[in-house]
Amino acid sequence: MSALKRITQSQWAIIAIVAAIAFVKLLYDQLYSYKLNESAALFVGIPALLAIIIALAPPAKTLVGVTIKGIS
């Protein structure tokens, strides 16, 4: 339990961003397996879902955090 207390808020933000990107990758793989890789779900749905997940992540306070959120 003490290991959880050592994780900072910025580390949780990075974890949230990485989890969001991994989730979107799994969603992309599912779309591709159903031959929906050229549909609106890919070009509109996935970016919208990724934007929502990242917007709900804690605000970035460092230059690295802002850069990662911006690139994602």
Side-chain angles (χ1 to χ4, degrees):
M1 192 71 161
S2 64
L4 290 178
K5 292 180 182 179
R6 288 188 236 151
I7 298 175
T8 64
Q9 184 177 1
S10 61
Q11 290 172 326
W12 281 115
I14 297 295
I15 290 169
I17 291 171
V18 169
I21 292 170
F23 177 73
V24 169
K25 170 64 172 129
L26 293 173
L27 184 61
Y28 171 78
D29 288 343
Q30 286 297 314
L31 287 173
Y32 191 79
S33 70
Y34 287 107
K35 307 261 190 265
L36 296 173
N37 53 337
E38 294 182 8
S39 67
L42 177 68
F43 296 107
V44 176
I46 288 181
L49 183 62
L50 184 61
I52 290 168
I53 292 171
I54 291 175
L56 293 175
K61 296 179 181 174
T62 64
L63 180 61
V64 174
V66 171
T67 303
I68 289 176
K69 281 184 91 167
I71 289 172
S72 297

